[in-house]
């Protein structure tokens, strides 16, 4: 398959900073333009103290660090910056309300045309801070208007991200991936939390009408494989296998449309 423009968002498994699987997927799709906005250590949820969001709005790509700015919402903002013509205010409209990023934070770069595909694979790190322990509050936040999505839960953050990208890229095929299984002592990456995250992602995909890739069960990278092939970050062999799996899922979905 040949697509013109491909964009991906996510954490270390997707990012060029660590595993680079997102870019590998783009190459398998023969994408002419690629924007990999994923960052190592990124969380789906904004950092918060109770209901108070403490994530700063920034267009600066963070390094592979566990910091409050390293979240999905800022990756979305960097995508918007790349899509906005050079020097122009970054704006978008959802449900008739206009939003903008202050010019002092940054303006458009015009470095990306509207993507044919946006691939989002994030949630592995959610729960690594006590305040962002993953919960399934989808039933509550799905009823909220866009303006009230404060991104302090996975469901809220994903709904905000998808609706923002749909508003700016109405003709783009968006794919949400469930997390890979892991083999680690970190509680937030255990099977129970992985299944909770998987459920939230599936519900958001269904609610927003985007495609879901079930990497948790269908990629082949289960707990027993993870034990010997990277624990959390797939080794070289499994990077290739997972990239092949994701690319085939995207190709088969696009062929059906």
């Amino acid at each position: 398959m040949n697509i013109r423009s491909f964009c991906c968002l996510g954490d270390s498994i997707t990012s060029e900073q660590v595993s680079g699987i997102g870019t590998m997927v783009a190459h398998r799709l023969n994408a002419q333009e690629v924007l990999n906005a994923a960052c190592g250590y990124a969380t789906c949820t904004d950092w918060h103290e109770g209901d108070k969001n403490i994530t700063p709005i920034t267009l600066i790509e963070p390094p592979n660090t566990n910091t409050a700015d390293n979240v999905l919402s800022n990756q979305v903002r960097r995508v918007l910056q790349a899509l906005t013509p050079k020097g122009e205010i970054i704006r978008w409209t959802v449900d008739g309300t206009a939003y903008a990023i202050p010019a002092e934070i940054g303006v458009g770069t015009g470095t990306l045309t509207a993507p044919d595909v946006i691939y989002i694979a994030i949630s592995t790190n959610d729960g690594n801070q006590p305040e962002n322990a993953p919960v399934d509050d989808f039933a509550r936040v799905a009823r909220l208007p866009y303006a009230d999505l404060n991104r302090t839960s996975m469901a809220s953050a994903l709904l905000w991200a998808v609706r923002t990208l749909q508003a700016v890229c109405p003709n783009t095929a968006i794919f949400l991936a469930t997390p890979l299984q892991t083999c680690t002592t970190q509680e937030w990456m255990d099977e129970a939390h992985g299944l909770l995250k998987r459920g939230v992602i599936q519900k958001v995909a269904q609610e927003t009408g985007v495609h879901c890739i079930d990497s948790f069960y269908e990629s082949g990278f289960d707990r027993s494989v993870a034990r010997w092939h990277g624990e959390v970050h797939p080794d070289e062999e499994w990077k290739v296998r997972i990239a092949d799996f994701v690319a085939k899922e995207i190709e088969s979905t696009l062929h059906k449309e």
Side-chain angles (χ1 to χ4, degrees), residues 44 120-126 134-138 154-155 158 176-182 188-207 211-219 221-222 245:
C44 176
I120 304 172
I122 195 166
S123 70
T124 301
N125 300 310
D126 283 83
V135 296
D136 184 354
D137 62 349
F138 174 83
M154 276 188 57
L158 282 170
L176 294 183
T178 62
L180 298 173
Q181 295 187 41
T182 66
W188 65 85
M189 296 185 193
D190 65 14
E191 183 177 18
H193 284 92
L195 287 169
L196 185 153
K197 296 170 185 180
R198 173 179 178 266
V200 170
I201 291 166
Q202 288 178 316
K203 291 173 186 176
V204 171
Q206 183 175 17
E207 174 72 18
H211 311 288
C212 185
I213 298 176
D214 192 4
S215 298
F216 189 89
Y217 278 131
E218 297 179 7
S219 67
F221 196 79
D222 60 21
F245 161 73

Side-chain angles (χ1 to χ4, degrees), residues 21-190:
I21 290 175
T23 303
M24 294 172 69
V25 172
H27 291 163
R28 280 152 177 74
L29 298 172
N30 296 311
Q32 299 170 37
E33 294 180 48
V34 180
L35 174 59
N36 189 337
C39 291
Y41 260 122
T43 58
C44 176
T45 308
D46 279 7
W47 284 36
H48 52 97
E49 296 173 351
D51 289 331
K52 180 184 178 182
N53 190 315
I54 60 171
T55 283
I57 295 174
T58 178
L59 299 173
I60 299 172
E61 179 178 326
N64 179 24
T65 51
N66 188 27
T67 51
D69 60 334
N70 193 3
V71 296
L72 176 63
S73 63
N74 280 329
Q75 294 179 29
V76 171
R77 294 181 181 102
R78 293 199 298 277
V79 173
L80 300 186
Q81 181 182 38
L83 291 168
T84 301
K86 185 175 181 179
E88 293 189 9
I89 297 293
I90 303 166
R91 307 178 190 275
W92 67 101
T93 300
V94 181
D95 298 334
T97 300
Y99 300 87
I101 295 175
E104 58 268 25
I105 293 176
V107 294
T109 60
T111 54
L112 184 72
T113 55
D116 298 296
V117 171
I118 294 176
Y119 169 64
I120 304 172
I122 195 166
S123 70
T124 301
N125 300 310
D126 283 83
N128 64 5
Q129 300 291 319
E131 294 81 7
N132 75 346
V135 296
D136 184 354
D137 62 349
F138 174 83
R140 179 182 67 83
V141 301
R143 297 193 299 267
L144 297 176
Y146 174 85
D148 291 342
L149 294 173
N150 62 9
R151 302 179 300 279
T152 58
S153 71
M154 276 188 57
S156 178
L158 282 170
L159 285 165
W160 182 91
V162 173
R163 289 176 178 169
T164 301
L165 292 168
Q166 285 177 322
V168 177
C169 306
N171 299 316
T172 296
I174 299 176
F175 293 81
L176 294 183
T178 62
L180 298 173
Q181 295 187 41
T182 66
C183 184
T184 173
T185 58
Q186 304 292 353
E187 181 182 358
W188 65 85
M189 296 185 193
D190 65 14

